[in-house]
Amino acid sequence: EVMESARQDPAAALEGVRYEFPTGGQGGILLSAVPVKSLPARCGFAPGDRIVAVNGQPIDSPNRALELYARYRDSASVVVTLERQGKRRDIEYFVP
């Protein structure tokens, strides 16, 4: 139910989450604030995490992030690559 409502209203699912697109060639989406009860927090994201790819596709700009969202928003599963404290890891999410 939570994931379905996030699909229908992604802005509400990200309420309170603050992020930026770092400059200097790092790429990705840097999460600067992740409220404890937010969907991203329940999915394991934390402040300081940098989302660098979705399904192996790198995020190198805001436009690319939007393209990937549009491409995978109705997928049954998605693999998110994040960097936390300098280490990368893949997390697979299944959407019922």
Coordinates of all heavy atoms in Angstrom, one line a residue:
E1 N 0.8 -1.2 0.0 CA 0.0 0.0 0.0 C 0.9 1.3 0.0 O 0.6 2.2 -0.7 CB -0.9 0.0 1.2 CG -1.8 1.2 1.3 CD -2.7 1.1 2.5 OE1 -3.3 0.1 2.8 OE2 -2.7 2.1 3.3
V2 N 1.9 1.3 0.8 CA 2.8 2.4 0.9 C 3.5 2.7 -0.5 O 3.5 3.8 -1.0 CB 3.9 2.2 2.0 CG1 4.9 3.3 1.9 CG2 3.2 2.1 3.3
M3 N 4.0 1.6 -1.1 CA 4.7 1.8 -2.4 C 3.7 2.2 -3.5 O 4.0 3.0 -4.3 CB 5.4 0.5 -2.8 CG 6.5 0.1 -1.9 SD 7.7 1.4 -1.7 CE 8.6 1.1 -3.2
E4 N 2.5 1.7 -3.4 CA 1.5 2.1 -4.5 C 1.1 3.6 -4.3 O 1.0 4.3 -5.3 CB 0.2 1.2 -4.3 CG -0.8 1.5 -5.4 CD -0.2 1.4 -6.9 OE1 0.6 0.5 -7.1 OE2 -0.7 2.2 -7.7
S5 N 1.0 4.0 -3.1 CA 0.7 5.5 -2.9 C 1.9 6.3 -3.3 O 1.7 7.4 -3.8 CB 0.3 5.8 -1.4 OG 1.3 5.5 -0.6
A6 N 3.1 5.8 -3.1 CA 4.3 6.5 -3.6 C 4.3 6.6 -5.1 O 4.7 7.7 -5.7 CB 5.5 5.9 -3.1
R7 N 3.8 5.6 -5.8 CA 3.8 5.7 -7.3 C 2.8 6.7 -7.7 O 3.0 7.4 -8.7 CB 3.3 4.3 -7.8 CG 4.4 3.3 -8.0 CD 3.8 2.1 -8.7 NE 4.9 1.1 -8.9 CZ 4.7 -0.1 -9.2 NH1 3.4 -0.6 -9.2 NH2 5.6 -1.0 -9.4
Q8 N 1.7 6.8 -7.0 CA 0.6 7.7 -7.4 C 1.0 9.2 -7.1 O 0.6 10.1 -7.8 CB -0.7 7.3 -6.7 CG -1.2 6.0 -7.0 CD -1.4 5.8 -8.5 OE1 -1.9 6.6 -9.2 NE2 -1.0 4.6 -9.1
D9 N 1.7 9.4 -6.0 CA 2.0 10.7 -5.5 C 3.5 10.8 -5.0 O 3.7 10.8 -3.8 CB 1.0 11.2 -4.5 CG 1.2 12.7 -4.2 OD1 2.1 13.3 -4.7 OD2 0.4 13.2 -3.3
P10 N 4.4 10.8 -5.9 CA 5.8 10.7 -5.5 C 6.3 11.9 -4.6 O 7.1 11.8 -3.8 CB 6.6 10.6 -6.8 CG 5.7 10.8 -7.9 CD 4.3 10.7 -7.4
A11 N 5.7 13.1 -4.9 CA 6.0 14.2 -4.1 C 5.7 14.0 -2.6 O 6.4 14.4 -1.7 CB 5.3 15.5 -4.6
A12 N 4.5 13.4 -2.4 CA 4.1 13.2 -1.0 C 5.0 12.1 -0.3 O 5.4 12.3 0.8 CB 2.7 12.7 -0.9
A13 N 5.5 11.2 -1.1 CA 6.4 10.1 -0.6 C 7.7 10.7 -0.2 O 8.4 10.2 0.7 CB 6.6 9.0 -1.6
L14 N 8.1 11.8 -0.8 CA 9.4 12.4 -0.5 C 9.3 13.7 0.4 O 10.3 14.4 0.5 CB 10.1 12.8 -1.8 CG 10.5 11.7 -2.7 CD1 11.0 12.2 -4.0 CD2 11.5 10.7 -2.0
E15 N 8.1 13.9 1.0 CA 7.9 15.0 1.8 C 9.0 15.1 2.9 O 9.2 14.1 3.7 CB 6.5 15.0 2.4 CG 6.2 16.3 3.1 CD 4.7 16.3 3.6 OE1 3.9 15.5 3.1 OE2 4.4 17.2 4.4
G16 N 9.6 16.2 3.1 CA 10.6 16.4 4.1 C 12.0 15.9 3.7 O 13.0 16.3 4.4
V17 N 12.1 15.2 2.6 CA 13.4 14.7 2.2 C 14.1 15.9 1.4 O 13.5 16.5 0.6 CB 13.3 13.5 1.2 CG1 14.7 13.1 0.7 CG2 12.7 12.3 2.0
R18 N 15.4 16.1 1.8 CA 16.1 17.1 1.1 C 17.3 16.5 0.4 O 17.9 15.6 0.9 CB 16.6 18.2 2.1 CG 15.5 19.1 2.6 CD 16.0 20.2 3.4 NE 16.7 19.6 4.6 CZ 17.4 20.3 5.4 NH1 17.6 21.6 5.3 NH2 18.0 19.7 6.4
Y19 N 17.5 16.9 -0.8 CA 18.5 16.3 -1.6 C 19.2 17.4 -2.5 O 18.6 18.5 -2.7 CB 18.0 15.2 -2.5 CG 16.8 15.6 -3.4 CD1 17.1 16.0 -4.6 CD2 15.5 15.5 -2.9 CE1 16.0 16.4 -5.5 CE2 14.5 15.9 -3.7 CZ 14.7 16.4 -5.0 OH 13.7 16.8 -5.8
E20 N 20.3 17.1 -3.1 CA 21.0 18.0 -4.0 C 21.7 17.1 -5.0 O 22.0 15.9 -4.8 CB 21.9 18.9 -3.3 CG 23.0 18.2 -2.5 CD 23.8 19.1 -1.6 OE1 23.2 19.6 -0.6 OE2 25.0 19.4 -1.9
F21 N 22.1 17.7 -6.1 CA 22.9 17.1 -7.2 C 24.3 17.7 -7.1 O 24.5 18.8 -7.4 CB 22.3 17.3 -8.5 CG 21.0 16.6 -8.7 CD1 19.8 17.2 -8.3 CD2 21.0 15.3 -9.2 CE1 18.6 16.5 -8.5 CE2 19.8 14.6 -9.4 CZ 18.6 15.2 -9.0
P22 N 25.2 16.9 -6.5 CA 26.6 17.5 -6.3 C 27.2 17.8 -7.6 O 27.0 17.2 -8.6 CB 27.3 16.3 -5.6 CG 26.3 15.3 -5.2 CD 25.1 15.5 -6.1
T23 N 28.1 18.8 -7.5 CA 28.9 19.3 -8.7 C 30.3 18.7 -8.5 O 30.6 18.1 -7.5 CB 28.9 20.8 -8.8 OG1 29.5 21.3 -7.6 CG2 27.6 21.4 -9.0
G24 N 31.1 18.9 -9.5 CA 32.5 18.4 -9.4 C 32.7 17.0 -9.8 O 33.7 16.3 -9.5
G25 N 31.8 16.5 -10.6 CA 31.9 15.2 -11.2 C 31.5 14.0 -10.4 O 31.6 12.9 -10.8
Q26 N 31.0 14.2 -9.2 CA 30.6 13.1 -8.3 C 29.3 12.4 -8.9 O 29.2 11.2 -8.8 CB 30.3 13.6 -6.9 CG 31.5 13.8 -6.1 CD 31.2 14.2 -4.7 OE1 30.2 14.9 -4.4 NE2 31.9 13.7 -3.7
G27 N 28.4 13.2 -9.4 CA 27.2 12.7 -9.9 C 26.3 12.2 -8.7 O 26.6 12.3 -7.6
G28 N 25.2 11.6 -9.1 CA 24.3 11.1 -8.1 C 23.4 12.1 -7.5 O 23.4 13.3 -7.8
I29 N 22.6 11.6 -6.5 CA 21.7 12.4 -5.7 C 22.1 12.3 -4.3 O 22.1 11.2 -3.7 CB 20.2 12.0 -5.8 CG1 19.8 12.0 -7.3 CG2 19.3 12.8 -5.0 CD1 18.5 11.3 -7.5
L30 N 22.6 13.4 -3.7 CA 23.0 13.4 -2.3 C 21.8 13.7 -1.4 O 21.2 14.8 -1.5 CB 24.1 14.4 -2.1 CG 24.7 14.5 -0.7 CD1 25.3 13.2 -0.2 CD2 25.7 15.7 -0.6
L31 N 21.5 12.8 -0.5 CA 20.4 13.0 0.5 C 21.0 13.7 1.7 O 21.8 13.3 2.4 CB 19.8 11.7 0.9 CG 19.3 10.8 -0.2 CD1 18.8 9.4 0.3 CD2 18.2 11.5 -1.0
S32 N 20.4 14.9 1.9 CA 20.9 15.7 3.1 C 20.0 15.6 4.3 O 20.4 15.9 5.4 CB 21.1 17.2 2.7 OG 20.0 17.7 2.1
A33 N 18.7 15.3 4.0 CA 17.8 15.1 5.1 C 16.8 14.0 4.8 O 16.3 14.0 3.6 CB 17.0 16.4 5.4
V34 N 16.6 13.1 5.7 CA 15.7 12.0 5.4 C 14.8 11.8 6.7 O 15.3 11.2 7.7 CB 16.4 10.6 5.1 CG1 15.4 9.5 4.8 CG2 17.3 10.8 3.9
P35 N 13.6 12.3 6.8 CA 12.8 12.2 8.0 C 12.6 10.7 8.4 O 12.5 9.8 7.5 CB 11.5 12.8 7.6 CG 11.8 13.7 6.5 CD 12.9 13.1 5.7
V36 N 12.6 10.4 9.7 CA 12.6 9.1 10.2 C 11.4 8.3 9.7 O 11.6 7.1 9.4 CB 12.6 9.1 11.8 CG1 12.5 7.7 12.3 CG2 13.9 9.8 12.3
K37 N 10.3 8.8 9.6 CA 9.1 8.1 9.2 C 8.8 8.1 7.7 O 7.8 7.6 7.2 CB 7.9 8.5 9.9 CG 8.0 8.2 11.4 CD 6.8 8.5 12.2 CE 6.9 8.2 13.6 NZ 5.7 8.4 14.4
S38 N 9.7 8.7 6.9 CA 9.5 8.9 5.5 C 9.7 7.5 4.8 O 10.3 6.6 5.3 CB 10.5 9.9 4.9 OG 11.8 9.4 4.9
L39 N 9.2 7.4 3.5 CA 9.3 6.2 2.7 C 10.8 5.9 2.5 O 11.3 4.8 2.7 CB 8.6 6.3 1.4 CG 8.7 5.1 0.5 CD1 8.2 3.8 1.1 CD2 8.0 5.4 -0.8
P40 N 11.6 6.9 2.1 CA 13.1 6.6 1.9 C 13.7 6.0 3.2 O 14.5 5.1 3.1 CB 13.7 7.9 1.5 CG 12.5 8.6 0.8 CD 11.3 8.3 1.7
A41 N 13.4 6.6 4.4 CA 13.9 6.0 5.6 C 13.5 4.6 5.8 O 14.3 3.7 6.2 CB 13.5 6.9 6.8
R42 N 12.3 4.3 5.6 CA 11.8 2.9 5.7 C 12.4 2.0 4.7 O 12.4 0.8 4.9 CB 10.2 2.9 5.6 CG 9.6 3.5 6.9 CD 8.1 3.4 6.8 NE 7.6 4.4 6.0 CZ 6.3 4.6 5.6 NH1 5.5 3.6 5.9 NH2 5.9 5.6 4.9
C43 N 12.9 2.5 3.6 CA 13.6 1.7 2.6 C 15.1 1.6 2.9 O 15.8 1.0 2.1 CB 13.3 2.3 1.2 SG 11.7 2.1 0.6
G44 N 15.5 2.2 4.0 CA 16.9 2.1 4.4 C 17.9 3.2 4.0 O 19.1 3.2 4.2
F45 N 17.3 4.3 3.5 CA 18.2 5.5 3.1 C 18.4 6.3 4.3 O 17.5 6.4 5.2 CB 17.5 6.3 2.0 CG 17.5 5.6 0.7 CD1 16.3 4.9 0.3 CD2 18.6 5.5 -0.1 CE1 16.2 4.3 -0.9 CE2 18.5 4.8 -1.3 CZ 17.3 4.2 -1.7
A46 N 19.5 7.0 4.4 CA 19.9 7.9 5.5 C 20.5 9.2 5.0 O 21.1 9.2 3.9 CB 20.9 7.1 6.4
P47 N 20.5 10.2 5.8 CA 21.2 11.4 5.4 C 22.7 11.1 5.1 O 23.4 10.3 5.8 CB 21.1 12.3 6.6 CG 19.9 11.8 7.3 CD 19.9 10.4 7.1
G48 N 23.2 11.7 4.0 CA 24.6 11.5 3.6 C 24.7 10.5 2.6 O 25.8 10.3 1.9
D49 N 23.7 9.6 2.3 CA 23.7 8.7 1.3 C 23.7 9.4 -0.1 O 23.1 10.4 -0.2 CB 22.5 7.7 1.3 CG 22.6 6.7 2.4 OD1 23.6 6.6 3.1 OD2 21.6 6.0 2.6
R50 N 24.4 8.8 -1.0 CA 24.4 9.3 -2.4 C 23.9 8.2 -3.3 O 24.5 7.2 -3.4 CB 25.8 9.8 -2.8 CG 25.8 10.6 -4.1 CD 27.1 11.3 -4.3 NE 28.3 10.4 -4.3 CZ 28.8 9.9 -5.4 NH1 28.3 10.2 -6.6 NH2 29.9 9.1 -5.3
I51 N 22.8 8.4 -4.0 CA 22.2 7.5 -4.9 C 22.9 7.7 -6.2 O 22.8 8.8 -6.8 CB 20.7 7.7 -5.1 CG1 20.0 7.5 -3.7 CG2 20.1 6.7 -6.1 CD1 18.6 8.0 -3.7
V52 N 23.7 6.7 -6.7 CA 24.5 6.9 -7.9 C 24.0 6.2 -9.1 O 24.4 6.6 -10.2 CB 26.0 6.4 -7.6 CG1 26.6 7.3 -6.5 CG2 26.0 5.0 -7.2
A53 N 23.1 5.2 -9.0 CA 22.6 4.5 -10.2 C 21.2 3.8 -9.8 O 20.9 3.5 -8.7 CB 23.6 3.5 -10.7
V54 N 20.5 3.6 -10.9 CA 19.2 2.8 -10.8 C 19.3 1.8 -11.9 O 19.5 2.1 -13.1 CB 18.0 3.7 -10.9 CG1 16.7 2.9 -11.0 CG2 17.9 4.8 -9.8
N55 N 19.2 0.5 -11.5 CA 19.3 -0.6 -12.4 C 20.5 -0.5 -13.3 O 20.5 -0.8 -14.5 CB 18.0 -0.7 -13.3 CG 16.8 -1.3 -12.5 OD1 17.0 -1.7 -11.4 ND2 15.7 -1.3 -13.2
G56 N 21.6 -0.1 -12.7 CA 22.9 0.0 -13.3 C 23.1 1.2 -14.2 O 24.1 1.4 -14.8
Q57 N 22.1 2.1 -14.3 CA 22.1 3.3 -15.1 C 22.6 4.4 -14.2 O 21.9 4.8 -13.3 CB 20.8 3.6 -15.7 CG 20.2 2.5 -16.6 CD 21.0 2.2 -17.8 OE1 21.3 3.2 -18.6 NE2 21.5 1.0 -18.0
P58 N 23.7 5.1 -14.5 CA 24.2 6.1 -13.6 C 23.3 7.4 -13.7 O 22.7 7.7 -14.7 CB 25.6 6.4 -14.2 CG 25.6 5.9 -15.6 CD 24.6 4.8 -15.7
I59 N 23.3 8.0 -12.5 CA 22.6 9.3 -12.4 C 23.7 10.4 -12.4 O 24.5 10.5 -11.5 CB 21.8 9.4 -11.1 CG1 20.8 8.3 -11.0 CG2 21.2 10.7 -10.9 CD1 20.1 8.1 -9.7
D60 N 23.7 11.1 -13.5 CA 24.7 12.1 -13.7 C 24.2 13.6 -13.8 O 24.9 14.5 -14.0 CB 25.7 11.8 -14.8 CG 24.9 11.6 -16.1 OD1 23.7 11.9 -16.2 OD2 25.5 11.1 -17.1
S61 N 22.8 13.7 -13.7 CA 22.2 15.0 -13.8 C 20.8 14.9 -13.3 O 20.2 13.8 -13.2 CB 22.2 15.5 -15.2 OG 21.3 14.7 -16.0
P62 N 20.2 16.0 -12.9 CA 18.7 16.0 -12.6 C 17.9 15.4 -13.7 O 17.0 14.7 -13.4 CB 18.4 17.5 -12.3 CG 19.7 18.1 -11.9 CD 20.8 17.3 -12.7
N63 N 18.2 15.8 -15.0 CA 17.4 15.3 -16.1 C 17.5 13.8 -16.2 O 16.5 13.1 -16.5 CB 17.8 15.9 -17.4 CG 17.3 17.3 -17.5 OD1 16.4 17.7 -16.9 ND2 18.0 18.1 -18.4
R64 N 18.7 13.2 -15.9 CA 18.9 11.8 -16.0 C 18.1 11.1 -14.9 O 17.5 10.1 -15.1 CB 20.4 11.4 -15.9 CG 20.7 10.0 -15.9 CD 20.4 9.4 -17.3 NE 20.9 8.1 -17.4 CZ 20.4 7.1 -18.2 NH1 19.4 7.4 -19.0 NH2 20.9 6.0 -18.1
A65 N 18.0 11.7 -13.7 CA 17.2 11.2 -12.6 C 15.8 11.1 -13.0 O 15.1 10.1 -12.7 CB 17.4 12.0 -11.3
L66 N 15.3 12.1 -13.6 CA 13.9 12.1 -14.1 C 13.6 11.1 -15.2 O 12.6 10.4 -15.1 CB 13.5 13.5 -14.6 CG 13.4 14.6 -13.5 CD1 13.2 16.0 -14.2 CD2 12.3 14.3 -12.5
E67 N 14.6 10.9 -16.1 CA 14.4 9.9 -17.1 C 14.3 8.5 -16.5 O 13.5 7.7 -16.9 CB 15.7 9.9 -18.0 CG 15.7 11.0 -19.0 CD 17.1 11.0 -19.8 OE1 17.7 9.9 -19.8 OE2 17.5 12.0 -20.3
L68 N 15.2 8.2 -15.5 CA 15.2 6.9 -14.9 C 13.9 6.7 -14.1 O 13.4 5.6 -14.1 CB 16.5 6.8 -14.0 CG 17.8 6.7 -14.8 CD1 19.0 6.7 -13.8 CD2 17.8 5.5 -15.7
Y69 N 13.5 7.7 -13.4 CA 12.2 7.6 -12.7 C 11.1 7.3 -13.7 O 10.3 6.3 -13.4 CB 11.9 8.9 -11.9 CG 10.5 8.9 -11.4 CD1 10.2 8.1 -10.2 CD2 9.5 9.6 -12.0 CE1 8.9 8.1 -9.7 CE2 8.2 9.5 -11.5 CZ 7.9 8.8 -10.3 OH 6.7 8.7 -9.8
A70 N 11.0 8.0 -14.8 CA 9.9 7.7 -15.7 C 10.1 6.3 -16.3 O 9.1 5.6 -16.5 CB 10.0 8.7 -16.9
R71 N 11.3 5.8 -16.5 CA 11.5 4.5 -17.1 C 11.1 3.4 -16.2 O 10.6 2.4 -16.6 CB 13.0 4.3 -17.5 CG 13.2 3.0 -18.1 CD 14.7 2.8 -18.5 NE 15.1 3.8 -19.5 CZ 16.4 4.0 -19.8 NH1 17.3 3.3 -19.2 NH2 16.7 5.0 -20.6
Y72 N 11.4 3.5 -14.9 CA 11.3 2.4 -13.9 C 10.1 2.6 -12.9 O 9.9 1.7 -12.1 CB 12.6 2.2 -13.2 CG 13.7 1.8 -14.1 CD1 14.8 2.7 -14.2 CD2 13.7 0.7 -14.8 CE1 15.9 2.3 -15.0 CE2 14.7 0.3 -15.7 CZ 15.8 1.1 -15.8 OH 16.9 0.8 -16.6
R73 N 9.4 3.6 -13.1 CA 8.3 3.9 -12.0 C 7.3 2.8 -11.9 O 6.7 2.6 -10.9 CB 7.7 5.2 -12.2 CG 6.6 5.3 -13.3 CD 5.9 6.6 -13.3 NE 4.8 6.6 -12.4 CZ 4.1 7.7 -12.1 NH1 4.4 8.9 -12.6 NH2 3.1 7.6 -11.2
D74 N 7.0 2.0 -13.0 CA 6.0 1.0 -13.0 C 6.7 -0.4 -12.9 O 6.0 -1.4 -13.1 CB 5.1 1.1 -14.2 CG 4.2 2.4 -14.1 OD1 3.8 2.7 -13.0 OD2 4.0 3.0 -15.1
S75 N 8.0 -0.5 -12.7 CA 8.7 -1.8 -12.6 C 8.3 -2.5 -11.3 O 8.0 -1.9 -10.3 CB 10.2 -1.6 -12.6 OG 10.6 -1.0 -13.9
A76 N 8.3 -3.8 -11.4 CA 8.1 -4.7 -10.3 C 9.2 -4.7 -9.3 O 9.1 -5.0 -8.1 CB 7.7 -6.1 -10.7
S77 N 10.4 -4.4 -9.8 CA 11.6 -4.4 -8.9 C 12.6 -3.4 -9.5 O 12.6 -3.1 -10.7 CB 12.3 -5.7 -8.8 OG 12.9 -6.1 -10.0
V78 N 13.4 -2.9 -8.6 CA 14.4 -1.9 -9.1 C 15.7 -2.1 -8.1 O 15.5 -2.4 -7.0 CB 13.9 -0.4 -9.0 CG1 13.6 0.0 -7.6 CG2 14.8 0.5 -9.6
V79 N 16.9 -1.9 -8.7 CA 18.1 -2.0 -8.0 C 18.7 -0.6 -7.9 O 18.9 0.0 -8.9 CB 19.1 -3.0 -8.6 CG1 20.4 -3.0 -7.9 CG2 18.6 -4.4 -8.7
V80 N 18.9 -0.1 -6.7 CA 19.4 1.2 -6.4 C 20.8 1.0 -5.9 O 21.1 0.3 -5.0 CB 18.6 2.0 -5.4 CG1 19.2 3.3 -5.0 CG2 17.1 2.1 -5.9
T81 N 21.8 1.7 -6.6 CA 23.1 1.7 -6.1 C 23.4 3.0 -5.3 O 23.1 4.1 -5.8 CB 24.1 1.6 -7.3 OG1 23.8 0.5 -8.1 CG2 25.6 1.6 -6.8
L82 N 23.8 2.8 -4.0 CA 24.0 4.0 -3.2 C 25.4 3.9 -2.7 O 26.0 2.8 -2.6 CB 23.0 4.1 -2.1 CG 22.9 3.2 -1.0 CD1 23.9 3.6 0.1 CD2 21.5 3.2 -0.4
E83 N 25.9 5.1 -2.3 CA 27.2 5.2 -1.7 C 27.0 5.7 -0.3 O 26.4 6.8 -0.1 CB 28.1 6.1 -2.5 CG 29.6 6.2 -2.0 CD 30.4 7.0 -2.9 OE1 30.8 6.5 -4.0 OE2 30.7 8.2 -2.5
R84 N 27.5 5.0 0.7 CA 27.4 5.4 2.1 C 28.8 5.3 2.7 O 29.4 4.2 2.7 CB 26.5 4.5 2.8 CG 26.3 4.9 4.3 CD 25.3 4.0 5.0 NE 23.9 4.4 4.5 CZ 22.9 3.6 4.7 NH1 23.0 2.4 5.3 NH2 21.7 4.0 4.3
Q85 N 29.3 6.4 3.2 CA 30.6 6.5 3.8 C 31.7 5.9 2.9 O 32.6 5.1 3.3 CB 30.6 5.7 5.2 CG 29.6 6.4 6.2 CD 29.5 5.7 7.5 OE1 29.9 4.5 7.6 NE2 29.0 6.3 8.5
G86 N 31.6 6.3 1.6 CA 32.6 5.9 0.7 C 32.5 4.5 0.1 O 33.3 4.1 -0.7
K87 N 31.5 3.7 0.6 CA 31.3 2.3 0.1 C 30.0 2.2 -0.7 O 29.0 2.7 -0.3 CB 31.3 1.3 1.2 CG 32.6 1.3 2.0 CD 32.5 0.3 3.1 CE 33.9 0.3 3.8 NZ 33.8 -0.6 5.0
R88 N 30.1 1.6 -1.9 CA 28.9 1.4 -2.7 C 28.3 0.1 -2.4 O 28.9 -0.9 -2.1 CB 29.3 1.4 -4.2 CG 29.6 2.8 -4.6 CD 29.7 2.9 -6.1 NE 30.0 4.3 -6.4 CZ 29.9 4.8 -7.6 NH1 29.4 4.1 -8.6 NH2 30.2 6.1 -7.9
R89 N 26.9 0.1 -2.5 CA 26.2 -1.2 -2.3 C 24.9 -1.1 -3.2 O 24.4 0.0 -3.4 CB 25.9 -1.5 -0.9 CG 25.0 -0.5 -0.2 CD 24.8 -0.8 1.2 NE 23.5 -0.4 1.7 CZ 23.0 -0.6 2.9 NH1 23.8 -1.2 3.8 NH2 21.8 -0.2 3.2
D90 N 24.5 -2.2 -3.6 CA 23.2 -2.3 -4.4 C 22.1 -2.9 -3.5 O 22.4 -3.8 -2.7 CB 23.4 -3.3 -5.5 CG 24.3 -2.8 -6.6 OD1 24.4 -1.6 -6.8 OD2 24.9 -3.6 -7.3
I91 N 21.0 -2.2 -3.6 CA 19.8 -2.7 -2.8 C 18.7 -2.9 -3.8 O 18.4 -2.0 -4.6 CB 19.4 -1.6 -1.8 CG1 20.6 -1.2 -0.8 CG2 18.2 -2.1 -1.0 CD1 20.3 -0.1 0.1
E92 N 18.1 -4.1 -3.7 CA 17.0 -4.4 -4.6 C 15.7 -4.2 -3.9 O 15.5 -4.7 -2.8 CB 17.1 -5.8 -5.2 CG 16.1 -6.1 -6.2 CD 16.3 -7.4 -7.0 OE1 17.2 -8.2 -6.5 OE2 15.7 -7.6 -8.0
Y93 N 14.8 -3.5 -4.5 CA 13.5 -3.2 -4.0 C 12.4 -3.9 -4.9 O 12.5 -3.8 -6.1 CB 13.2 -1.7 -3.9 CG 14.1 -1.0 -3.0 CD1 15.2 -0.4 -3.4 CD2 13.9 -1.1 -1.6 CE1 16.1 0.3 -2.6 CE2 14.8 -0.4 -0.7 CZ 15.9 0.3 -1.2 OH 16.7 0.9 -0.4
F94 N 11.5 -4.6 -4.2 CA 10.4 -5.2 -5.0 C 9.1 -4.4 -4.7 O 8.8 -4.1 -3.5 CB 10.2 -6.7 -4.5 CG 11.4 -7.5 -4.9 CD1 12.4 -7.7 -4.0 CD2 11.5 -8.1 -6.1 CE1 13.5 -8.5 -4.3 CE2 12.6 -8.8 -6.5 CZ 13.6 -9.0 -5.6
V95 N 8.4 -4.1 -5.7 CA 7.1 -3.4 -5.6 C 6.0 -4.3 -5.9 O 5.9 -4.8 -7.0 CB 7.1 -2.1 -6.5 CG1 5.9 -1.3 -6.3 CG2 8.4 -1.3 -6.2
P96 N 5.1 -4.6 -4.9 CA 4.0 -5.5 -5.2 C 3.0 -4.9 -6.2 O 2.9 -3.7 -6.4 CB 3.3 -5.7 -3.8 CG 3.9 -4.6 -2.9 CD 5.1 -4.0 -3.6

